[in-house]
Amino acid sequence: MDKAELNRLLYAVAEGKITPEEAAVKLKTEPFEDLGFAKPDHHRKIRQGAGEVIYGAGKTAEQIGEICRSLVKGGQKNVLITRLDGDKADILKTLIDFNYYETGKIAVVGNMPEPDTEGTVLVATGGTSDLYAAEEAALTAEFLGSRVERLYDVGVAGIHRLLAHTDKIMNAKVIIAIAGMEGALASVIGGIADCPVIAVPTSVGYGAAFGGLAALLAMLNSCASGVSVVNIDNGFGAGYLANMINHM
Amino acid sequence: MDKAELNRLLYAVAEGKITPEEAAVKLKTEPFEDLGFAKPDHHRKIRQGAGEVIYGAGKTAEQIGEICRSLVKGGQKNVLITRLDGDKADILKTLIDFNYYETGKIAVVGNMPEPDTEGTVLVATGGTSDLYAAEEAALTAEFLGSRVERLYDVGVAGIHRLLAHTDKIMNAKVIIAIAGMEGALASVIGGIADCPVIAVPTSVGYGAAFGGLAALLAMLNSCASGVSVVNIDNGFGAGYLANMINHM
Amino acid sequence: MDKAELNRLLYAVAEGKITPEEAAVKLKTEPFEDLGFAKPDHHRKIRQGAGEVIYGAGKTAEQIGEICRSLVKGGQKNVLITRLDGDKADILKTLIDFNYYETGKIAVVGNMPEPDTEGTVLVATGGTSDLYAAEEAALTAEFLGSRVERLYDVGVAGIHRLLAHTDKIMNAKVIIAIAGMEGALASVIGGIADCPVIAVPTSVGYGAAFGGLAALLAMLNSCASGVSVVNIDNGFGAGYLANMINHM
Amino acid sequence: MDKAELNRLLYAVAEGKITPEEAAVKLKTEPFEDLGFAKPDHHRKIRQGAGEVIYGAGKTAEQIGEICRSLVKGGQKNVLITRLDGDKADILKTLIDFNYYETGKIAVVGNMPEPDTEGTVLVATGGTSDLYAAEEAALTAEFLGSRVERLYDVGVAGIHRLLAHTDKIMNAKVIIAIAGMEGALASVIGGIADCPVIAVPTSVGYGAAFGGLAALLAMLNSCASGVSVVNIDNGFGAGYLANMINHM
Amino acid sequence: MDKAELNRLLYAVAEGKITPEEAAVKLKTEPFEDLGFAKPDHHRKIRQGAGEVIYGAGKTAEQIGEICRSLVKGGQKNVLITRLDGDKADILKTLIDFNYYETGKIAVVGNMPEPDTEGTVLVATGGTSDLYAAEEAALTAEFLGSRVERLYDVGVAGIHRLLAHTDKIMNAKVIIAIAGMEGALASVIGGIADCPVIAVPTSVGYGAAFGGLAALLAMLNSCASGVSVVNIDNGFGAGYLANMINHM
Amino acid sequence: MDKAELNRLLYAVAEGKITPEEAAVKLKTEPFEDLGFAKPDHHRKIRQGAGEVIYGAGKTAEQIGEICRSLVKGGQKNVLITRLDGDKADILKTLIDFNYYETGKIAVVGNMPEPDTEGTVLVATGGTSDLYAAEEAALTAEFLGSRVERLYDVGVAGIHRLLAHTDKIMNAKVIIAIAGMEGALASVIGGIADCPVIAVPTSVGYGAAFGGLAALLAMLNSCASGVSVVNIDNGFGAGYLANMINHM
Amino acid sequence: MDKAELNRLLYAVAEGKITPEEAAVKLKTEPFEDLGFAKPDHHRKIRQGAGEVIYGAGKTAEQIGEICRSLVKGGQKNVLITRLDGDKADILKTLIDFNYYETGKIAVVGNMPEPDTEGTVLVATGGTSDLYAAEEAALTAEFLGSRVERLYDVGVAGIHRLLAHTDKIMNAKVIIAIAGMEGALASVIGGIADCPVIAVPTSVGYGAAFGGLAALLAMLNSCASGVSVVNIDNGFGAGYLANMINHM
Amino acid sequence: MDKAELNRLLYAVAEGKITPEEAAVKLKTEPFEDLGFAKPDHHRKIRQGAGEVIYGAGKTAEQIGEICRSLVKGGQKNVLITRLDGDKADILKTLIDFNYYETGKIAVVGNMPEPDTEGTVLVATGGTSDLYAAEEAALTAEFLGSRVERLYDVGVAGIHRLLAHTDKIMNAKVIIAIAGMEGALASVIGGIADCPVIAVPTSVGYGAAFGGLAALLAMLNSCASGVSVVNIDNGFGAGYLANMINHM
């Protein structure tokens, strides 16, 4: 949306041709210049000033670089790039400057902001193999301004490791429970916690794990209240939603 | 947990034998007297004084009646009974007094409380066939103290019916989007709203709907941010979680 | 196998025409007279003297009665009948005498034996809805001579209810963990116990439980060691195997 | 079918030994000389003079080249080659001359014809990742003579981007709606449009997208009328059918 | 939408506050008075004057009757009611007058219109068990003004029965191919026809038919061009779309 | 089984210690010397003198070579090796001598025998992409002594190509129908033929073909009598069975 | 096909307008008079004089009776009716005369013919619960003229019961192996037998049997050669095919 | 857990602040020093002194080396490393000393212990392709102190090869039955054996084997008693459980 379009929109509101709500929706969904090959997708709702997000998978390093430069030119201070694998990151390094978080396959252009929340997003995983999704979730929430605490490798097969951290579970404002294989972590945490629990099934496992299906079904059937589920391996979605709740 | 047990627990805290956190967890999970044939399940976390919840499916009217009487004797003012079909409700009517909400298959013993929240839980459905799950969600949230607004039959095949209510979507604090068949409602609402969206797939549909599987998969793959999913037809879970977020 | 056949078999061994092992296999697999319409199935390995088992589903009350009478005539003291629903039991009552255990849908002709084991089979369930499978398992193990302890409604969403019984879990010689929905109980118990854990997924649940599939997959993917799984709702199989291990 | 065969066929019609309809079917299904290793498949119905189609996947560049030369020798002016990946195209370039459309993995031998339709085929996609299927559809329809309009990256999570083009949707004679993940685009467009909508699920997505299954099921369950579905990623099939309708 | 609303809308167009396209969309989606318990669903796009459609499943006879009376009062001459089983039809008969087509479970209030098309919709089935879906399709197309020809029980296992009707296949303007079990009919017809083929998988069959899944997958994978698919048993959808194409 | 063992076995029969039938079974299942790392699998029943079969997948070229040399040393004239990909064949060429059939990934050590049957095995495929399975089937049947006729690329979308060969279908003694995608070929051929039809689903296709599942389900649901099905891509199994029937 | 049509057909052959093969196909597929509501399906290929088959499921007793009378009037001596449940048989008894075989749900009008084969079809089942499919298979083969031997309740869990009948397995000309649950019977018999084995998975079982899917997959993956599979519970198909092979 | 922590724990027991049972659980679950990047997973319950287990998949050779050195420094004599592929083993060889078992992808640091059991774990496989899982199971049980006997390539298609070893089956204390494809081995062995049978489905096979799903379902539906199942390819889990039972 360029200046001229914006003016037209605002005049329309002023003249009562369009309601303020309609204008608001329009403004939310069209935040920046069209680059020809791609309109920004998935992460449109980030507030201007706070940060912008690029979904890195399926884009070349060159395309990502061009989008970033355009955003920065437009006044954007921070950009989050998700699903950026190592090789692509190496190429991108030659184009723009950023911090790369290898485990979560996330890049941050500009500075990671200081947390602006009282509440904490607790990110818990069943095993160390789930870290890729956990870090995607944690870094997303941090990028959006949340205070984040990590509690990794507390799977239910060693339940006392998890219970040793009951205080963290009870003090969190929202919890992201991440697990593959049988995905039981969400139920156990959901049974202890008083706050919303966002469950992320991961594709960790083999055989009858069926690429995360076992964990997904388990989490959807959780007998604990307050638990909801996002797509397999969708750390970004969980981090985004957790931050949204954390800012309430 | 009877008085004596409670005293023992509190002394244990006082003497440092048990931490306050451990005591809190214990209190949360053991709220009332054992009835022999059943410990209360699923809905354990309802705050004392606000209301208690009984999952009606798989229990006889007699068992439900006995649990209710025990709860009321114990000082409980309001009880929510979910998944109570009409025939069982008729029998239960001969045992205890309650208001029955037929569409949502929900009974409320005592009074439905006045809402104690500023924010609103918006419950939207794709069609009129989804009302059973929608009312289960709405009544659950109301029972727990939430202000609830209903927006029914706004499926995406008539998108302007939904867009006519953009203001409601933008003013809600949390939204429950309920749909069967292709389950697209969650994505469209998620794209407009700024708040958490809890998606409930329903088993409405036939053929390749596969009992709600199509809607479930669609919702898990939503391209909108801020959307999470609960089990097929799980109106209670959505209402419970929405109320939790609404009270933040 | 009648006397004459038995004699022929034993002579064959004596004369070296057949090895003792082959004879043993034959004896194990042909324990009683042929009734024309049915050779006994499923439960062939019960030791003579201890008890015989009839799978009641798919047989008429009359057929079951005839088999029982034949067994008793042949010297069998106790007979276990599984999957015998209430209506069929009522008809069977007019034909033979037995004790009926309604929850587990099990009938015992003759006396339930005193346990002849030091060790204990612990039967644990996630919820009260799983009792039908739990009682099938428990009664089967008791019928075969095992000491059995029941620990019901200790689902993982209220983890401290389970942990309150850590001693039972650690003292058992073998554990049967029974749960529907997300089936996480097996993993949590498997993480605490030192003994074999036999997991029984149940068809309890709705929606994405898919008739026990969610629990089945979760249990197969258990991250705890020492856990193995039987078919959905197969309480008999679990009780049979648990008793076998318990007698070692 | 060579000249002699053709003559025999026509004489047979003239003599009443075969009906004109039977002859027509024969002519449609046997359009060109047998090459030994392959009879032309899939795309047999293209009208002589308009163009011929070769399904490139599973054929070597050499085989494709030989078929093309044979067709051209037989008087064919234009040939469409689908599913021709970049490496194979490079080899094919050394054998014959053609224009290559990389995104849609399509090659056109000869000239892309001018559109000969009044009506327009509108090709819409949910995201930029769906372009490979969209271009396969669009180029196929163009090759067959249709006027085509593209409307890309108008996914339902930003519904006003789509609604900004309501006029295009209402002016199209037939629409191809292409989307992966939750596949909701078909329902929303189907609710606005007055014309047939051909839905193409794509394999875009991850986790519970299950290679396009989620989008496929969603599209089959569309609550909008006038929507039908082709195979996952089958842009050619959609373009072929859309052109057929567009020429009505 | 009542008169007053309509006037307001038209004035808004006249004053340029709303585009004609937006008005058109609004008019299409809000055709009649709100009845409180239900907004009309699924079949919104039927042209005023031609006919209105009610999806009968999940509505009581009383609700259907009330909607019909309201439509007739509003000037509607003909109403189509789909998925109306026999028992419900008997009750409805006591409330309103209509013709009932038992095989297709369809009722028509008012007169079935004379066909207003040159072209013909050919409805073909594999077996006689598929007639329920075929008649739903045929009657829907007839109700909407199409000339319809039926070609039943021409399954591919007796291919010459089908080929005996090659002329009908080649003369149709659009074909609906309906089959359960292996669903091969769509491919064979698609290979002969020059026109669009709409495939309807049915739930006819047993065992590995999996409720229509086998036929659905077969039809989606059809190697014939010009074939698209609707949901299992969705005769209405096919009839609606076929009529749309037939009127082009 | 070496000479000594054979003698022992025959003496045992002579002495009545073992029945002739048991001896026959033993002889059938133990035809050659143990190589330590592998007992011959899958193809045990080939008659001595006719030929031996080795399943090449999952064995190294060296292992295959060693087995072959052992067989030849033992008097075996011909050996069939299945699932031998090109690279492995190249290595094997340096070890032993054989004819390699690339399309069917089959090697024959020694000579392909002259057919010893009156009847013909007809191998038909839907498309050219199915040739890998067709040649595996055809060469297997030929190796075992069957006369084989090939009828390739006669898919049902061009039904007259298939019908042009009605005589071949009616003259065959047994038919192997091979197809991927919608797998309709088996039904159409089964409807014409008077002889057993063995259907082989192939993994040819994409999207909703799900690796051959669509074709497999279609074939299992064939409405034609006389059709049975083997595993996806199992050309060997079909060829083996067809030859067995052909020799009756 | 009435006389006039037949004459026309034969003249056409005589005049060379149609080949004998084409005439043969036509004669095979159109064997009897059209009854208006149904053309005979599924079982078209039964030779005139031998017997006709009616698929009883989905037809009323009245329709079946009318078809039978028509067949008998046309000179048919014997008719086989499959899938005729008990209630329908009772009604049919009031209309026509037949022998009813309850277990296989099969009725035979006229006399069951004497076997006209040297070879034997062996029908084996894993358990007594599989008898419904076994009798459907056995009676079909007998009706078509085959000598049939039954070998029931020889499941692999008591392998010596099966091995006690090795001679029957080795003497059969073709075997039908019928089993539910894990479906292993086909593999074990296939390993012993020298003849074709037709495997019939049954829907017997519960839980992870998934309505016959487990047995179906097991049988398709049989490691024994000479095994092919028909649809779940398709005893008729197996009996038909076995008889076809048995008559070779 | 270091010394100081241990002392604190024991004092807590002495002072009655913590029960002996709780202490026992803690001791079992926290056996060694924290390495920062990973807490030991999966195999926590191995008794100190006997051996420690590392799950090698998903860890780098460097991480594995560091964990091993830490364990050895802590007094651990033997370490078992599972799922260690050849390349990783080569790197690890440069860091620490161990014996590598290629087939089972297992490494043992220190000495493989002498068996300390009377009873035997029998490991049986259907084919040679299953050896990878069989050796994982066998070596795990041996590492934990069990006497192990191997019985490979005794699939049910050659049942007499299996029956030739009836004595081994009857003498084992516990059996691990490993098979892919149709997975029938577990049922046959379960029918012969008197001891617990642990079934391991493998991913061996193709087509409708669906990566081990066919074998998994077959094993879960085993009609033999005493059989339980672990995850596809989970040799370790089976070996662990078998050793546990073997030490009873």
Side-chain angles (χ1 to χ4, degrees), chain C:
Chain C
M1 174 171 286
D2 61 15
K3 272 250 169 85
E5 277 175 284
L6 182 59
N7 280 343
R8 267 196 299 276
L9 181 70
L10 296 179
Y11 271 102
V13 176
E15 293 161 23
K17 287 185 189 149
I18 173 173
T19 67
E21 285 83 4
E22 285 172 319
V25 170
K26 240 176 201 157
L27 284 165
K28 270 202 316 156
T29 61
E30 303 267 10
F32 67 91
E33 89 183 84
D34 194 320
L35 295 171
F37 59 84
K39 305 188 196 144
D41 61 322
H42 276 245
H43 310 327
R44 262 162 306 253
K45 289 181 301 182
I46 312 300
R47 272 163 315 283
Q48 198 80 5
E52 193 68 45
V53 184
I54 299 167
Y55 181 67
K59 297 198 180 68
T60 64
E62 287 72 20
Q63 290 174 323
I64 296 170
E66 194 172 341
I67 296 175
C68 282
R69 273 195 298 258
S70 158
L71 286 168
V72 169
K73 208 182 64 186
Q76 191 70 39
K77 296 240 177 65
N78 308 315
V79 182
L80 179 76
I81 309 165
T82 64
R83 301 276 166 113
L84 183 75
D85 60 45
D87 292 349
K88 216 181 275 181
D90 288 344
I91 305 176
L92 190 57
K93 270 288 178 197
T94 66
L95 303 174
I96 55 169
D97 197 44
F98 58 88
N99 289 310
Y100 186 56
Y101 301 82
E102 192 180 354
T103 306
K105 292 192 188 307
I106 273 191
V108 172
V109 180
N111 297 313
M112 188 63 103
E114 287 301 302
D116 59 8
T117 61
E118 289 268 317
T120 302
V121 174
L122 180 67
V123 181
T125 75
T128 53
S129 318
D130 303 314
L131 289 196
Y132 68 97
E135 282 300 308
E136 186 179 303
L139 291 163
T140 296
E142 285 176 339
F143 178 82
L144 298 171
S146 274
R147 189 178 304 280
V148 172
E149 182 152 22
R150 287 152 172 90
L151 181 57
Y152 290 168
D153 196 17
V154 291
V156 300
I159 196 74
H160 277 77
R161 285 190 306 178
L162 177 61
L163 296 178
H165 299 286
T166 303
D167 53 337
K168 287 185 187 168
I169 294 172
M170 299 192 70
N171 289 334
K173 187 151 175 207
V174 54
I175 301 175
I176 299 173
I178 302 178
M181 298 198 293
E182 89 273 61
L185 187 67
S187 289
V188 175
I189 288 183
I192 300 172
D194 264 338
C195 68
V197 175
I198 304 164
V200 185
T202 67
S203 52
V204 169
Y206 62 89
F210 293 126
L213 179 63
L216 172 62
L217 292 182
M219 286 169 167
L220 284 166
N221 283 285
S222 175
C223 52
S225 299
V227 177
S228 63
V229 187
V230 296
N231 195 4
I232 298 167
D233 290 337
N234 190 5
F236 170 78
Y240 185 93
L241 175 56
N243 174 69
M244 193 184 255
I245 294 172
N246 196 28
H247 275 90
M248 281 184 161

Side-chain angles (χ1 to χ4, degrees), chain H residues 78-91:
Chain H
N78 309 314
V79 182
L80 180 76
I81 308 167
T82 65
R83 302 278 165 111
L84 183 75
D85 61 44
D87 292 350
K88 217 182 272 181
D90 288 344
I91 305 176

Side-chain angles (χ1 to χ4, degrees), chain E residues 1-11:
Chain E
M1 174 174 284
D2 61 16
K3 273 249 167 89
E5 277 174 287
L6 181 60
N7 280 345
R8 265 196 300 277
L9 181 71
L10 296 180
Y11 271 103

Side-chain angles (χ1 to χ4, degrees), chain E residues 2-99:
Chain E
D2 61 16
K3 273 249 167 89
E5 277 174 287
L6 181 60
N7 280 345
R8 265 196 300 277
L9 181 71
L10 296 180
Y11 271 103
V13 176
E15 294 162 19
K17 287 184 188 149
I18 173 173
T19 68
E21 285 84 4
E22 286 171 322
V25 170
K26 242 177 198 152
L27 283 165
K28 271 201 316 158
T29 59
E30 302 268 10
F32 67 90
E33 88 183 85
D34 196 319
L35 295 170
F37 60 82
K39 304 185 196 149
D41 62 321
H42 276 248
H43 310 329
R44 259 160 309 252
K45 290 180 300 181
I46 314 300
R47 271 162 314 285
Q48 199 79 5
E52 193 68 43
V53 184
I54 299 168
Y55 181 67
K59 296 198 181 67
T60 65
E62 287 72 20
Q63 289 175 324
I64 297 170
E66 192 172 343
I67 297 174
C68 283
R69 273 195 298 260
S70 158
L71 286 167
V72 170
K73 208 182 62 185
Q76 190 71 39
K77 295 241 175 64
N78 308 314
V79 181
L80 180 76
I81 309 167
T82 64
R83 302 277 165 111
L84 183 75
D85 59 45
D87 292 349
K88 219 183 272 183
D90 288 343
I91 304 176
L92 191 58
K93 269 287 179 200
T94 66
L95 302 175
I96 58 169
D97 196 43
F98 59 89
N99 290 310

Side-chain angles (χ1 to χ4, degrees), chain E residues 155-160 163 166 181-184 187-192 205-210 213-214 217-225, chain F residues 155-160 163 166 181-184 187-192 205-210 213-214 217-225:
Chain E
V156 300
I159 196 73
H160 276 78
L163 295 178
T166 303
M181 298 197 294
E182 88 275 61
S187 289
V188 175
I189 288 184
I192 300 171
Y206 62 89
F210 293 126
L213 179 63
L217 292 182
M219 288 169 166
L220 285 167
N221 284 286
S222 175
C223 51
S225 298
Chain F
V156 299
I159 195 74
H160 276 78
L163 295 177
T166 303
M181 299 198 294
E182 87 276 60
S187 289
V188 175
I189 288 183
I192 299 171
Y206 61 89
F210 292 126
L213 180 62
L217 293 182
M219 287 169 166
L220 285 167
N221 283 285
S222 176
C223 51
S225 298

Side-chain angles (χ1 to χ4, degrees), chain B residues 110-190:
Chain B
N111 296 312
M112 188 65 102
E114 286 302 302
D116 59 8
T117 61
E118 288 269 317
T120 302
V121 174
L122 180 67
V123 181
T125 75
T128 53
S129 318
D130 304 313
L131 289 195
Y132 68 97
E135 282 300 307
E136 186 179 302
L139 291 164
T140 296
E142 285 176 340
F143 178 81
L144 298 171
S146 273
R147 188 176 306 277
V148 172
E149 183 151 20
R150 287 153 172 90
L151 182 59
Y152 291 167
D153 196 16
V154 290
V156 300
I159 195 76
H160 276 78
R161 286 189 306 176
L162 177 62
L163 295 177
H165 299 287
T166 303
D167 52 336
K168 285 185 187 167
I169 293 172
M170 298 193 70
N171 290 333
K173 188 154 177 207
V174 54
I175 301 176
I176 299 173
I178 302 178
M181 300 198 291
E182 89 275 60
L185 187 68
S187 289
V188 175
I189 287 183

Side-chain angles (χ1 to χ4, degrees), chain F residues 31-91:
Chain F
F32 67 91
E33 88 182 86
D34 195 319
L35 295 170
F37 60 83
K39 304 185 196 148
D41 61 323
H42 278 246
H43 310 329
R44 260 161 309 250
K45 289 181 300 181
I46 313 301
R47 271 164 314 284
Q48 198 79 4
E52 193 68 43
V53 184
I54 299 168
Y55 181 67
K59 296 197 182 69
T60 65
E62 286 73 20
Q63 289 175 325
I64 297 170
E66 192 172 343
I67 296 175
C68 283
R69 272 195 299 258
S70 158
L71 287 167
V72 170
K73 208 182 63 185
Q76 190 70 41
K77 295 241 175 63
N78 309 314
V79 182
L80 180 75
I81 308 167
T82 64
R83 302 276 165 110
L84 183 74
D85 60 44
D87 292 349
K88 218 182 272 181
D90 288 345
I91 304 176

